[in-house]
Amino acid sequence: MNKKDITVNKLKSLGEIILEDVEKNSVPAIKVPSRGTSNIVYDEDKRYYVLGDRYGRRSLGNVKQISKIAQMVYVANFCKDLVRRGKTATLREMYYVSEGWDVEFGDQQESNIVGEDLEVTLGMTREDLGLMPEEDGASVYGNITIQDDDVEINALKAGKSGYTISPTIDEVQFVDHDVKRVIAVETMGMFHRMVQEDAYNKFDTLIVGLKGQAARATRRFLKRVNEELKLPVYIMNDGDPWGFHIAMVIISGSAKLAHVNHQLATPDAKFIGVTASDIINYDLPTDPLKDIDVLRLKELSKDPRYRDEAWQMEIKKMLKIGKKAEQQSFSKYGLEYVVDTYLPEKLEQME
């Protein structure tokens, strides 16, 4: 049975559960895994957040839950139609399509949450269900050839902006590659700097421009190249708590997506910098930490994903110096410095 048939059958099973209860003269109910904070657990062995074993029960016998079940059934039926026809829809499109349904959503956030309820209930990703986010995936530049439907694309020949990761990245096949590692950078400014300075050749690397917080498709791409192609993944972000967080979501996933972290997290990925130590060692231009930065750093220090001694040291050091730095701050020493000096030194330390 192919993935499409599996998805359709799982979606149909939601309605069959309700029908079976009706035939038994029982009040129809659906079990939905709890996504409350008390049911989100950091798994030390897997090195990412997972859902615990608690479930909620949505019953048509509870007046307050009738609309919730109706919303889930409508969304499931919409997704079943998408998958059967080989189509996709953005979350925004689904929200507007729902305007013609006999159930209502207060706003798009409410319909998004129902989509997440559906994926956690069925044990499938929203992308499997045909639902796509609005944001693009990252840009990839380097010598890798992928096949998307019947088209082969080499990311080294797709223009200076590279190949844009598809939201349906699981349907993409890796045909060939000639690289030894992957370097993901937070900003497109750094992505283009690395392309211009021939970093893909100097380091035998794929360059991935994250565009800020990495989209789900980007995280899935990084996990796939790490596991399927055995390529080490390195992350270079701004030297501030937000850059730390962007890196950690790639490495250990997020609490919000605990139900799909097994498909998104890349626990063996490594954070190159910019670290607090880099700020000191390279005498980088800085900005003072704001109150919100300090608060966020203190939150990170208590987060189980940052228990590692190296992370704790960098967080404490940043709090001590009271400064942060952008990844472009290496330009103080010339545009080429980050590729000619910083990255070679850091990669040598880490490899």
Side-chain angles (χ1 to χ4, degrees), residues 210-226:
L210 298 174
K211 303 178 183 177
Q213 183 67 266
R216 282 170 53 149
T218 302
R219 284 178 263 164
R220 181 62 182 155
F221 173 84
L222 292 172
K223 183 176 183 66
R224 285 192 60 196
V225 294
N226 177 249

Side-chain angles (χ1 to χ4, degrees), residues 22-87:
V22 171
E23 290 170 356
K24 295 176 183 176
N25 290 321
S26 300
V27 178
I30 298 173
K31 286 176 65 178
V32 180
S34 170
R35 289 188 289 129
T37 54
S38 61
N39 198 43
I40 296 173
V41 183
Y42 183 76
D43 189 308
E44 297 284 357
D45 293 328
K46 294 177 179 177
R47 293 178 289 164
Y48 54 74
Y49 280 115
V50 298
L51 278 187
D53 55 7
R54 295 182 187 174
Y55 282 80
R57 188 170 176 275
R58 293 183 182 174
S59 169
L60 288 178
N62 186 328
V63 175
K64 294 180 180 179
Q65 295 178 347
I66 292 175
S67 64
K68 290 287 185 185
I69 294 178
Q71 288 172 336
M72 282 188 72
V73 170
Y74 267 91
V75 171
N77 191 56
F78 176 70
C79 291
K80 184 182 73 173
D81 182 59
L82 286 177
V83 175
R84 275 182 169 169
R85 295 195 292 156
K87 291 183 175 288

Side-chain angles (χ1 to χ4, degrees), residues 69 219 259 297 346 349 351:
I69 294 178
R219 284 178 263 164
H259 57 290
L297 284 168
K346 294 291 288 205
Q349 293 172 21
E351 294 183 342

Side-chain angles (χ1 to χ4, degrees), residues 67 70-79 82 89-115 131:
S67 64
Q71 288 172 336
M72 282 188 72
V73 170
Y74 267 91
V75 171
N77 191 56
F78 176 70
C79 291
L82 286 177
T90 67
L91 295 170
R92 189 67 173 167
E93 285 176 320
M94 183 182 74
Y95 171 64
Y96 281 119
V97 168
S98 74
E99 293 289 319
W101 296 345
D102 291 329
V103 296
E104 294 183 356
F105 295 100
D107 52 29
Q108 187 186 335
Q109 179 63 21
E110 186 177 2
S111 64
N112 288 355
I113 290 172
V114 173
L131 298 177

Side-chain angles (χ1 to χ4, degrees), residues 112-129:
N112 288 355
I113 290 172
V114 173
E116 290 173 0
D117 286 344
L118 192 62
E119 69 176 352
V120 71
T121 300
L122 299 180
M124 308 196 79
T125 67
R126 68 186 183 197
E127 290 82 5
D128 291 333
L129 302 176

